[in-house]
Amino acid sequence: MHRALALGVIATLGTLTIAVAAAQAPAGPSQAAVAVTKIEKVKDNLYIITGSSPTPRETFSGGNTGVFVTDKGVVVVDTKLAGWGPTILERIKSVTDKPVTTIINTHTHGDHTGSNEFFGASVESIVQENTKANMTRMDAFKGDKAQFLPKRTYKDTLTIGAGKDQIDLYYFGPGHTNGDTFVVYRALGVMHAGDMFPWKDAPFIDRSNGGSGRQWPLSLKKALDTVKNVQSVIGGHQPVATWKDFATFQQFTAELWSQTEAAQKAGKSVDEAAASTGWLSKYPGYDSTRLKAAVQAIYDELSGK
Ligand SMILES: [Zn+2]
């Protein structure tokens, strides 16, 4: 082929590829997703903007977003997927005129940090130190986007605000990732647990970000032993639950680990282990749609992969 012609063909293909990509890119949140994203009062000055499950994809917005209206301004916990900033702000404005002053991300994932950028680089933003390290590896926070990385970090615990506005942040060890924060609204008896308590099903153990199926129940046990006087728990992608529900999930993660470890020792394949679901009957209302992925992650962890 003539060189100029060949270059012309390549240029045309390039333009076509860009045009196709643009046509496929979602133009912001879908109507269906916006419709299921509501602001709900949890207690007094604390609200959530509801998140959704990653499946079905059409209505996926990200995790639950906490909205805590303090005297100084609004503290936002988790910012859903990229593109959700305007919807989050619109929902906040339906309950308060105060500005967003602080963002806390429970962990690194894009469905919890995706709209940090929308709130600008001057907002105070706080994460556990391992989560900041994980975020620096994300494309969404590289290059000139590094200005949107959280400014403030902590290792084990951090208190911000005082009196009725006090928030206690805790890191209890690895589980979903190696940097999951538990946000405790002391005066209200509410805790935001993020994806350490994602849904009533096997959890996503993100070993690429330091997650651990072995440590998960131990970290939750620490939370149960340390945090006092909490009645309501905000999970990652489920309706607001009770402290008892949270304790049940801790038992579930402990049993998920022990059942899977026993299956591996008995020489069962991942498929066989994931099909052995008899023990799940102890957990009414729990699904097993994510069990196989969790079993695979635990097999990998057991074999040192
Ligand atoms: Zn997550």
Side-chain angles (χ1 to χ4, degrees):
M1 204 186 286
H2 191 276
R3 187 176 142 79
L5 179 60
L7 285 175
V9 169
I10 290 164
T12 307
L13 281 177
T15 310
L16 275 174
T17 308
I18 291 163
V20 168
Q24 285 170 344
S30 71
Q31 290 288 347
V34 171
V36 297
T37 305
K38 301 189 165 93
I39 190 156
E40 293 174 354
K41 185 180 277 224
V42 179
K43 197 176 178 189
D44 301 344
N45 50 332
L46 176 66
Y47 303 80
I48 58 166
I49 303 171
T50 52
S52 51
S53 172
T55 51
R57 215 71 195 169
E58 312 85 80
T59 53
F60 187 40
S61 60
N64 286 321
T65 295
V67 175
F68 189 48
V69 183
T70 74
D71 287 346
K72 287 184 183 146
V74 178
V75 179
V76 172
V77 177
D78 287 351
T79 61
K80 305 194 189 294
L81 293 165
W84 279 88
T87 308
I88 293 171
L89 193 59
E90 195 184 302
R91 298 287 186 268
I92 292 171
K93 290 214 174 301
S94 73
V95 297
T96 181
D97 293 330
K98 289 181 178 165
V100 172
T101 50
T102 308
I103 291 173
I104 298 163
N105 299 114
T106 56
H107 65 289
T108 190
H109 289 149
D111 57 331
H112 297 258
T113 60
S115 294
N116 279 24
E117 178 180 342
F118 172 83
F119 293 96
S122 60
V123 167
E124 178 174 52
S125 46
I126 310 168
V127 292
Q128 201 275 345
E129 62 186 21
N130 299 333
T131 285
K132 181 162 184 179
N134 293 336
M135 287 172 81
T136 59
R137 298 202 309 268
M138 295 169 70
D139 286 344
F141 295 101
K142 278 182 184 161
D144 61 355
K145 305 264 190 188
Q147 62 180 308
F148 303 112
L149 279 167
K151 307 285 178 301
R152 193 168 171 195
T153 61
Y154 76 97
K155 191 173 180 353
D156 298 313
T157 180
L158 176 70
T159 292
I160 57 171
K164 67 178 178 43
D165 290 343
Q166 181 170 334
I167 301 173
D168 296 332
L169 308 183
Y170 295 94
Y171 173 64
F172 291 120
H176 182 55
T177 69
N178 62 356
D180 296 274
T181 287
F182 292 74
V183 182
V184 178
Y185 304 97
R186 279 192 67 121
L188 300 181
V190 181
M191 177 171 80
H192 194 140
D195 282 355
M196 285 297 282
F197 180 43
W199 41 55
K200 289 181 171 176
D201 196 341
F204 169 41
I205 303 162
D206 182 6
R207 299 192 61 241
S208 70
N209 279 302
S212 165
R214 185 195 298 273
Q215 298 298 322
W216 199 313
L218 306 178
S219 300
L220 292 184
K221 180 74 169 51
K222 253 192 230 172
L224 286 166
D225 291 346
T226 308
V227 179
K228 304 291 177 206
N229 304 317
V230 163
Q231 291 82 44
S232 302
V233 185
I234 301 167
H237 301 265
Q238 61 177 328
V240 177
T242 64
W243 186 253
K244 190 165 170 281
D245 294 329
F246 177 64
T248 301
F249 185 71
Q250 190 276 336
Q251 289 166 18
F252 176 88
T253 58
E255 191 152 7
L256 171 66
W257 175 266
S258 61
Q259 293 282 351
T260 307
E261 188 181 35
Q264 198 243 22
K265 277 197 182 128
K268 286 187 182 170
S269 68
V270 168
D271 281 334
E272 287 165 347
S276 314
T277 54
W279 63 275
L280 282 172
S281 63
K282 276 182 264 171
Y283 302 91
Y286 273 63
D287 285 328
S288 57
T289 53
R290 295 175 168 96
L291 185 61
K292 191 180 164 186
V295 167
Q296 179 68 62
I298 290 174
Y299 267 55
D300 289 347
E301 187 171 347
L302 284 164
S303 62
K305 265 188 217 163

